[in-house]
Amino acid sequence: MCSNNHQHNKLVLCPQCDMLVAVPDLEQGKKAVCPRCNTLLTAKWKEPRNQPTGYALSALMMLFLACLFPFVSMSVAGIESKITLTQIPEMMFSEDYSSMAVFFLIFVQLVPAFCMVAIIFLCQNVKMARRLKIELARILFKMKTWCMAEIFLAGVLVSFVKLMAYGEISIGLSFLPYCLFCLFQIRAFQCLDRHWFWNEIEAAPEICHKLQAGVPGLVQGVRLCQCCSAILPAHQFQCSRCHTRGYARRHHSLQYTMALLITSVILYIPANVLPIMITQSLGSHIHSTILEGIILLWSSGSYPVAMIIFIASIMVPLLKMLAISWLCWDAKSQGKHDSETMHFIYEVVEFVGRWSMIDVFVIAVLSSLVQMGQLMSIYPAIGAVLFALVVILTMFASMTFDPRLTWDKSNSKFVLHKNEES
């Protein structure tokens, strides 16, 4: 038997910097953050089960309504075109652009809907096998990053600016429900506390030796389960609560990150050189690259939109690749830059990475809505697929990078302090 049963229940191991933090009893509406890197550790909600469920259920209802009615319509020279959300992938499938349709289906419709259903099932404790519940929870928290409904909505707004140059644009009955869906699904994730959630499924495994708050877990011989946030012995390969396999540090983190990064760099060049969109108008075909589209918006006076596309599609992917390279170099060579600075760079990379998909969703809207035969039609091109792959690969690269490596170089002072005490 362990002499300090449940001592670890009030201790939380930070997933970003590996600091062991003692979390006091929180009042309703309060949250606990890591004093070392300011990462959110846990929060206490008034209704931890009902709040996420309510928002998730509302989000699903809004998504259902958004799929029933026209989403956007366009009128050019007396010819009107309308699309619903479900017609966007259908149009791309019919035009043999299956890859673009798959991106849209997964990131904009299927993954957000799945996550909302999973939140409802898990928070309301629907009867299911324990193993199934654990697998569902594991997938839910991994899929959170790939919910891009709000990015698609931003892409729709950008596409409005482009389409105004060609004709009259109007929103349909489903536009407002979709906006509400985006808000509700974001709020559902905010109200779902991972630490509380996993403790509701099963109590965290016990640690049989005393742990000291304010000291990194690796120094004390413990590690974090990246799936369920349980504190485990550093040498324990499999979590006894969620059965996820892991290591004290992500296995071959830098190698996987660099491999994904190099692949994204290789694809980044043709993604910017090759056309991402083909505009057919009165028999003529105009091929547009990302940069040409930005120049066109700038020359037409749409300066804010041109800047948004330039930042999201040109600067963000490039700077993200440079930032990830810097993080890997710093972690590998034990660089002299302070850990706080490198962690800030990592957080920025994590936050902005998904937003580069905005240009891909703009093309999805344009190619679905502007199908007016010889008068005007817009089609996606190979550059759009390559650019989407660049964004996805850089997202995977930031996911495989272990941010705790940037903090490990400062662990020596904790080791010395521990030796002095002993």
Side-chain angles (χ1 to χ4, degrees):
M1 292 291 292
C2 299
S3 58
N4 57 326
N5 289 351
H6 304 293
Q7 167 236 312
H8 64 285
N9 284 346
K10 293 185 179 180
L11 295 175
V12 179
L13 200 56
C14 179
Q16 299 292 327
C17 71
D18 198 41
M19 179 64 70
L20 192 67
V21 181
V23 178
D25 292 332
L26 299 175
E27 298 178 2
Q28 289 184 359
K30 300 295 183 179
K31 61 182 181 180
V33 298
C34 176
R36 193 185 193 190
C37 66
N38 292 320
T39 298
L40 177 64
L41 300 177
T42 184
K44 187 172 183 179
W45 297 93
K46 183 177 181 181
E47 296 287 345
R49 289 189 183 277
N50 295 333
Q51 275 190 293
T53 301
Y55 285 117
L57 187 59
S58 300
L60 287 176
M61 291 176 62
M62 291 300 104
L63 180 60
F64 176 73
L65 292 175
C67 292
L68 293 180
F69 306 103
F71 187 63
V72 182
S73 63
M74 178 181 181
S75 178
V76 179
I79 301 176
E80 188 176 13
S81 175
K82 295 181 180 180
I83 57 168
T84 63
L85 284 174
T86 56
Q87 286 176 335
I88 294 177
E90 288 177 6
M91 293 289 291
M92 288 185 285
F93 274 123
S94 64
E95 296 294 337
D96 294 329
Y97 293 101
S98 301
S99 53
M100 292 284 292
V102 169
F103 290 150
F104 180 86
L105 278 173
I106 293 176
F107 300 138
V108 179
Q109 294 182 330
L110 296 182
V111 170
F114 168 81
C115 289
M116 295 302 102
V117 172
I119 288 175
I120 295 171
F121 275 48
L122 293 171
C123 286
Q124 292 305 303
N125 205 17
V126 175
K127 288 186 179 180
M128 63 180 78
R130 178 180 173 277
R131 184 66 182 175
L132 178 60
K133 182 181 293 187
I134 290 174
E135 288 296 329
L136 190 60
R138 182 189 301 175
I139 296 172
L140 169 64
F141 288 108
K142 286 184 177 180
M143 289 292 102
K144 178 182 177 181
T145 305
W146 300 99
C147 293
M148 299 187 183
E150 66 275 17
I151 301 174
F152 168 71
L153 182 59
V156 172
L157 299 177
V158 170
S159 66
F160 284 173
V161 178
K162 289 189 174 185
L163 290 172
M164 285 177 184
Y166 301 109
E168 183 180 344
I169 305 299
S170 59
I171 60 175
L173 292 175
S174 66
F175 187 80
L176 180 58
Y178 190 79
C179 292
L180 293 174
F181 162 70
C182 293
L183 294 175
F184 288 146
Q185 64 104 15
I186 292 173
R187 189 61 177 163
F189 278 120
Q190 288 178 340
C191 296
L192 185 65
D193 182 61
R194 178 183 295 203
H195 189 72
W196 168 87
F197 179 80
W198 280 104
N199 284 334
E200 286 294 305
I201 293 180
E202 183 180 326
E206 298 178 359
I207 297 295
C208 294
H209 62 272
K210 187 176 181 180
L211 299 178
Q212 180 181 349
V215 178
L218 193 63
V219 175
Q220 304 186 69
V222 295
R223 72 171 181 91
L224 179 75
C225 175
Q226 290 292 330
C227 178
C228 72
S229 71
I231 300 175
L232 308 170
H235 56 80
Q236 185 173 327
F237 181 60
Q238 188 176 50
C239 177
S240 53
R241 176 162 66 175
C242 69
H243 308 294
T244 300
R245 298 181 179 184
Y247 301 86
R249 295 294 178 266
R250 290 174 189 165
H251 206 39
H252 301 308
S253 169
L254 297 180
Q255 292 89 330
Y256 285 128
T257 301
M258 288 305 301
L260 290 166
L261 185 61
I262 292 171
T263 306
S264 65
V265 170
I266 294 172
L267 293 178
Y268 180 74
I269 298 173
N272 283 275
V273 173
L274 296 175
I276 63 169
M277 186 173 67
I278 301 172
T279 303
Q280 177 185 331
S281 179
L282 300 176
S284 63
H285 292 74
I286 303 173
H287 295 72
S288 302
T289 63
I290 296 175
L291 193 57
E292 288 172 345
I294 295 170
I295 294 173
L296 180 62
L297 285 170
W298 187 271
S299 61
S300 63
S302 302
Y303 305 122
V305 178
M307 288 299 298
I308 291 173
I309 296 297
F310 177 74
I311 293 172
S313 301
I314 301 294
M315 287 187 62
V316 168
L318 183 60
L319 293 177
K320 184 176 181 179
M321 290 185 284
L322 292 174
I324 294 174
S325 302
W326 190 9
L327 288 167
C328 290
W329 174 82
D330 183 80
K332 180 67 176 179
S333 61
Q334 297 293 301
K336 297 181 180 180
H337 297 89
D338 61 278
S339 301
E340 289 83 1
T341 300
M342 302 310 296
H343 181 72
F344 174 76
I345 294 172
Y346 173 77
E347 285 190 322
V348 172
V349 166
E350 279 282 276
F351 177 76
V352 303
R354 305 183 311 142
W355 287 92
S356 297
M357 286 292 285
I358 188 172
D359 216 15
V360 177
F361 293 140
V362 168
I363 297 169
V365 175
L366 295 178
S367 59
S368 303
L369 184 60
V370 186
Q371 294 292 329
M372 301 179 179
Q374 292 296 318
L375 178 62
M376 180 179 292
S377 295
I378 295 178
Y379 305 96
I382 185 63
V385 178
L386 295 176
F387 184 77
L389 290 175
V390 170
V391 177
I392 293 170
L393 287 171
T394 53
M395 288 179 65
F396 274 121
S398 63
M399 289 177 184
T400 55
F401 178 78
D402 194 335
R404 295 169 296 182
L405 296 175
T406 64
W407 295 93
D408 285 346
K409 57 189 176 185
S410 60
N411 282 356
S412 57
K413 61 183 179 181
F414 293 102
V415 175
L416 290 174
H417 179 65
K418 186 179 179 183
N419 291 337
E420 289 173 2
E421 286 186 343
S422 60

